[in-house]
Amino acid sequence: MRLIGWFVLFAAVVLAPLVAATLATAGERTLAAALGGAGGWAAFGVLAAQFALVTRVRAATAVLGSDSLLLFHRLMSLVALGFLVLHVALLAPRVPDPLARNPAERYGSIAAWAAVLLVVTSLLRRRLRWSYELWLVAHRLLAIAVVAGMAWHVHLVLAPEARVARALAWAWAAAALGALAVQRLVRPALLRRRPWEVVENRDEGASTRTLVLRAVGHAGLRFAAGQFVWITTRRRGLVAEEHPITIASSPELDGGRTLELAIKALGDWSREDVPALRPGERVRVDGPFGAFSYERVAAQRLVLVAGGVGVTPMRSMLLAMRDRGDRRPAVLFFAAHDRSRAMFVSELERLQEELDLRLVLVLERPADGERCERGFLTAEIVRRHLPDSLRFTHFFACGPPPMVAAVERITSELGVPATHVHTERFDMI
Amino acid sequence: MRTLQVRLAAGGFTLALGLAVAASAWVASRTVARGHASAPATPGGATLDPAAGAELFERHCAACHAPEELAPALAVEDPAGAVLALLDFLDEHGAADPREDRAIAAFLRESAR
């Protein structure tokens, strides 16, 4: 389905409860009460649809990109909160009380406060110094409280005749919670039947390790170069942690039965659990996901911009081009602090002899005599290494959000059409 | 998608949703209800037929109370708080369920007018 199709589907899911409720309650309220009620239904629709944005529907992530869906999810949470505030401000004469004796008020208050906590803990996760895993558990529990509370509240406040609106509210709540159950329970059970085994755990330097995985008893994974997977390793306490990692190897490697995942040491899992993985251990791999791939566009020239560990999808793409004999011209701008932190740099330098590839290192702290560009990536640096005409040239940028934002600005200055710029932001969560 | 594209999509969607909310509110407030020029609202938004509330009052409350005994408590400038207090009271008092309590409250509010 194309982009506009997904957007229309999302709008339909959000608006259906509002339309049903409007028809059910027409003519029974003042304008202020009607506005407050409609605001509540808008919040309900958005909050229920939020589950769909993060349930890893492969067809959706292949078109929209997982990081774009995540950003949209965050923005929609603020929209839902705004409509929720409107609902409470216009209809509740007092601050929502989760312990109210009136059940309609009680469940509505629980949902409202859970929604506020959900947004606040997401915005302030780092300031609260919560680990990602702790935040994720709290986020899911609060989301369940929001949806269940909203559905009960709606069930109690609607008139008996509003059967369609009531049924829709319960159906939407069930669909949202069902989507969560599928993602957390059903999917892992199915993936356990398609295990992957660690073949090698290699130190690449630059605080990076490469896990080489082989499919056990199945045909492996068909993926587009640049996509990522969610990998689950052994449990840490009660939680089996899942982490999004870009596939660093070529799709042609062993017909997809072997994957290479390059993992930089950034948190507890990558610093402690990953180095401890031994050959023979089994892990779970869910994927592939993402829209970040040169295979999805008709480009005559590729410009790849990578920052730090953002070079992993670029490695996958360049190795795929090598394996397929793809001789389209490509330029890779690789930004890093210094050469020692530029992972795979020697391999990328060698690839220049096998592809029509120019590697441009952009180092903040180059060694004396190092042949590279200095500082941060700028439009001037990009212009120096590209022809004047950028027609049919597609840009791919992957790295920390500030670097990706800089690339978006630079390509805009260069007059590159937005449809020719593809980005993937790391560190989105 | 670029960051700007995502933000524009979210902004456009929010605008459309805001217009839908405003349209819904206009529709809900303009159409005349069945048999009532303007039915009173109860906290929680949805209103109920005071006639149904009258019947419920007769069934659950009339044995011990008269409407004119309770209605004056709702004849205040901002009745929403008073109605909430009444609903809290009715929740613990009597055999009506929460929806019936609101109908009774709507009847008493109408009586208070």
Side-chain angles (χ1 to χ4, degrees):
Chain A
M1 187 155 53
R2 297 173 68 88
L3 185 62
I4 190 71
W6 286 110
F7 202 71
V8 168
L9 180 62
F10 181 77
V13 167
V14 170
L15 290 173
L18 175 63
V19 170
T22 302
L23 297 173
T25 58
E28 296 182 349
R29 46 179 57 184
T30 62
L31 181 61
L35 196 58
W41 282 107
F44 182 95
V46 173
L47 287 166
Q50 285 283 66
F51 285 74
L53 292 175
V54 291
T55 48
R56 302 184 203 164
V57 175
R58 241 177 261 169
T61 69
V63 173
L64 301 161
S66 295
D67 57 338
S68 297
L69 281 172
L70 201 53
L71 177 58
F72 192 75
H73 173 81
R74 288 174 141 187
L75 294 171
M76 284 297 105
S77 69
L78 298 175
V79 170
L81 196 63
F83 282 113
L84 188 61
V85 168
L86 178 74
H87 174 73
V88 170
L90 290 178
L91 288 179
R94 59 187 179 209
V95 174
D97 179 7
L99 301 176
R101 278 183 295 180
N102 180 299
E105 185 188 351
R106 185 165 63 241
Y107 293 119
S109 300
I110 288 171
W113 281 114
V116 169
L117 281 174
L118 203 148
V119 173
V120 167
T121 53
S122 297
L123 290 174
L124 300 180
R125 176 177 76 88
R126 291 200 167 88
R127 279 203 199 165
L128 293 169
R129 298 185 188 275
W130 283 14
S131 68
Y132 168 66
E133 290 71 31
L134 171 63
W135 169 83
L136 191 58
V137 169
H139 196 76
R140 286 175 177 148
L141 291 175
L142 287 170
I144 292 170
V146 168
V147 168
M150 282 193 311
W152 262 118
H153 172 73
V154 160
H155 177 81
L156 292 171
V157 300
L158 280 177
E161 313 80 65
R163 289 187 195 89
V164 173
R166 182 179 285 106
L168 206 56
W170 279 116
W172 257 225
L177 297 178
L180 187 63
V182 164
Q183 189 195 334
R184 298 305 304 153
L185 300 172
V186 175
R187 202 167 171 79
L190 293 174
L191 288 173
R192 267 191 283 276
R193 295 186 191 178
R194 298 170 55 85
W196 293 76
E197 190 175 270
V198 176
V199 171
E200 191 182 349
N201 189 342
R202 204 161 60 217
D203 185 355
E204 297 286 352
S207 307
T208 303
R209 300 195 75 88
T210 294
L211 282 183
V212 182
L213 306 177
R214 186 164 297 143
V216 180
H218 59 94
L221 211 59
R222 293 182 63 85
F223 63 96
Q227 287 192 296
F228 71 95
V229 294
W230 289 84
I231 177 174
T232 309
T233 56
R234 67 174 83 96
R235 284 176 177 269
R236 175 189 265 263
L238 294 175
V239 179
E241 300 179 5
E242 278 185 303
H243 298 267
I245 304 291
T246 301
I247 304 171
S249 51
S250 164
E252 305 299 326
L253 179 64
D254 199 20
R257 281 181 292 274
T258 298
L259 298 180
E260 292 183 349
L261 307 181
I263 304 169
K264 191 172 177 68
L266 292 170
D268 289 344
W269 175 76
S270 48
R271 263 197 290 269
E272 295 172 15
D273 293 9
V274 170
L277 286 170
R278 296 284 168 259
E281 282 195 61
R282 292 204 172 176
V283 300
R284 204 167 67 220
V285 172
D286 186 9
F289 298 101
F292 189 74
S293 176
Y294 81 99
E295 297 182 35
R296 298 179 183 277
V297 301
Q300 291 183 1
R301 179 195 311 275
L302 298 174
V303 176
L304 312 176
V305 184
V309 72
V311 75
T312 48
M314 314 309 183
R315 178 182 186 258
S316 177
M317 290 194 241
L318 292 171
L319 289 176
M321 289 177 73
R322 179 201 64 187
D323 293 344
R324 294 164 181 165
D326 190 334
R327 299 290 300 180
R328 277 178 289 179
V331 179
L332 170 58
F333 294 95
F334 188 2
H337 186 266
D338 54 63
R339 189 183 171 90
S340 70
R341 299 189 209 188
M343 63 189 76
F344 303 122
V345 67
S346 301
E347 182 182 34
L348 294 168
E349 285 170 336
R350 286 195 299 276
L351 274 174
Q352 294 181 103
E353 292 157 29
E354 297 178 82
L355 294 168
D356 185 358
L357 168 68
R358 184 196 299 191
L359 171 65
V360 179
L361 282 178
V362 183
L363 303 177
E364 289 174 58
R365 295 278 171 88
D368 291 338
E370 179 99 52
R371 288 185 63 192
C372 65
E373 297 282 358
R374 280 158 174 71
F376 294 108
L377 189 72
T378 60
E380 186 194 335
I381 290 175
V382 172
R383 275 198 200 95
R384 231 190 332 270
H385 296 278
L386 292 180
D388 290 338
S389 172
L390 296 175
R391 232 175 145 215
F392 306 117
T393 298
H394 280 251
F395 285 69
F396 289 83
C398 181
M403 191 214 79
V404 171
V407 172
E408 289 176 346
R409 271 195 314 274
I410 291 168
T411 50
S412 180
E413 280 176 34
L414 294 175
V416 179
T419 50
H420 286 203
V421 181
H422 316 274
T423 60
E424 185 145 282
R425 302 162 205 88
F426 279 11
D427 199 29
M428 274 295 292
I429 44 179
Chain B
M1 287 174 72
R2 295 169 90 162
T3 309
L4 181 60
Q5 287 174 307
V6 177
R7 289 187 196 276
L8 285 174
F13 182 79
T14 304
L15 188 62
L17 187 57
L19 290 173
V21 164
S24 164
W26 189 83
V27 166
S29 64
R30 300 300 286 183
T31 313
V32 175
R34 300 176 294 282
H36 293 273
S38 61
T42 55
T47 56
L48 293 163
D49 183 356
E55 203 183 304
L56 288 164
F57 188 92
E58 184 62 34
R59 196 187 320 156
H60 293 289
C61 317
C64 303
H65 303 286
E68 49 270 23
E69 171 195 336
L70 303 174
L74 301 179
V76 294
E77 208 171 289
D78 176 17
V83 170
L84 261 183
L86 174 63
L87 289 174
D88 281 348
F89 173 76
L90 290 175
D91 190 47
E92 304 243 311
H93 183 87
D97 67 29
R99 236 187 323 275
E100 290 173 332
D101 287 344
R102 286 176 35 249
I104 292 169
F107 160 65
L108 290 172
R109 172 92 179 98
E110 186 79 347
S111 302
R113 290 178 173 188

